[in-house]
Amino acid sequence: MTDIRQFTNDSAARATTDKDPAPRAPRASRLLKEQGILAQAENHFAQFGFEGASLESIAAAIGISRHKLLYYFPSKEALYQRVLDDVLTQWLASMHDISHSDDPQQALRRYIHAKLHYSRTRPQGAQVFAKEVIAGAPRYGRVIAERVAPLLKTDVRRFARWAREGRIAKVDFTHLMFIIWSVTQAYAELQAQFALLLGKPALTERDYEKAEALIVRMVLSALAPEAAGPGQAP
């Protein structure tokens, strides 16, 4: 007579064996190829926008076929989304510094430095993001709302707490962040114009240092407790 317990154990063993194996981590070679594709895609989307860029031109720039590119990214939309995801992730990393800091001046100095460093070292990424937003964020608006809005609210609450403690002036902290974003973003989008007006082929690291020092000075001056006035937000 067949032992029912043995039958049950054998069935369970077969069921375990038949299960799909756990997904493997991507191979290093695949990750390297993806990074190369993303770098070229970022350049093309920055120059031509989503509509103007093509998978054929991106693939040609890295020496592969369109079909091979689709092996890594199934569509232009998926590639565009991934480029924006990478840009946004790097940008948001610096926003976390404000909410985790207890020194308003140090937090703002670090944040402004990070934003300008990003504009200097990855201008194409900043330009891709700007083009999407200027167009009304038709393909990325939901992600921006879901990922940026919560962090912005957290940072604004931290600023408000510092203001209640008398450590900074009370201003509209949401618009403070908008202004910082705008002025630092300009050094990515308009760097060619700035360099032309300075009579040089490109902005230098020293130019960014000067810009950073001035932006920090302006922001910290506006937030100095003694600067509070009747026209500022409660």
Side-chain angles (χ1 to χ4, degrees), residues 198-216:
L198 288 171
K200 54 181 63 175
L203 294 180
T204 65
E205 185 174 354
R206 180 59 180 156
D207 291 321
Y208 284 91
E209 290 173 353
K210 289 179 178 180
E212 180 181 334
L214 181 56
I215 296 167
V216 167

Side-chain angles (χ1 to χ4, degrees), residues 152-153 156 159 171-181:
L152 176 60
K153 290 177 181 178
V156 168
F159 284 129
V171 301
D172 188 318
F173 297 117
T174 300
H175 282 281
L176 171 68
M177 294 297 286
F178 292 168
I179 290 169
I180 293 174
W181 295 349

